[in-house]
Amino acid sequence: MIAAGFGIFEQERSASVGNGQLQMDIDFPGTVRAGNEMGLAISITSAQPLPETVEISISQEYLDFFEDFAVLPEAQSQSSGRQGALAFELSAQPGARHAVFHFKGRAADDWSPRTDGLVAVEVGGSTLSADIRTWRMP
């Protein structure tokens, strides 16, 4: 009961960060069991039309517990980013002010009980970042 009171068994969590011109909302698993499907949904809203490409970086430590990893829509490119992160260059619809990107896979067996991560988005020279945390349940 104590664990439930602290929200440890919550399946989904969210994080939001914004600066008045740009907003990033992230839906991610609060808890997950090894082998189960898991994913991140990253929503970006801008006061101005989004540029042709958006860069999203996710810490490598967090990505390490994904198996059968996929990005939807498919990334134009991916590269090593800052501070041990993997950066994905993703396309936005021309003239759109809102876009949603999905990072999906299965939870791997070989990771620690708690995994912290950092998600950052760079849009037209403006950068936002948010911390996320997922717990592994037996």
Side-chain angles (χ1 to χ4, degrees):
M1 291 184 103
I2 293 172
F6 284 108
I8 292 175
F9 297 117
E10 291 179 25
Q11 293 298 313
E12 292 292 321
R13 297 239 178 201
S14 62
S16 296
V17 63
N19 64 11
Q21 294 296 310
L22 185 63
Q23 175 76 29
M24 175 175 65
D25 299 300
I26 308 165
D27 293 324
F28 60 97
T31 60
V32 69
R33 292 179 191 263
N36 285 358
E37 295 292 318
M38 61 179 283
L40 303 173
I42 301 172
S43 173
I44 301 166
T45 305
S46 176
Q48 302 298 319
L50 291 168
E52 189 175 307
T53 59
V54 171
E55 183 179 291
I56 295 176
S57 60
I58 303 171
S59 56
Q60 185 65 50
E61 179 183 0
Y62 196 83
L63 290 175
D64 283 345
F65 75 93
F66 277 92
E67 291 180 350
D68 301 326
F69 181 72
V71 181
L72 302 169
E74 190 173 330
Q76 289 183 351
S77 68
Q78 79 184 46
S79 60
S80 295
R82 292 169 253 172
Q83 301 172 1
L86 196 57
F88 300 89
E89 188 173 292
L90 302 153
S91 296
Q93 292 283 16
R97 294 175 190 247
H98 179 76
V100 179
F101 304 100
H102 297 274
F103 299 80
K104 297 183 176 243
R106 288 182 300 112
D109 285 330
D110 56 349
W111 51 281
S112 65
R114 183 186 91 191
T115 301
D116 297 323
L118 178 70
V119 176
V121 62
E122 185 177 325
V123 176
S126 185
T127 303
L128 298 175
S129 62
D131 294 314
I132 59 175
R133 173 179 293 156
T134 299
W135 292 87
R136 178 176 183 241
M137 298 304 292

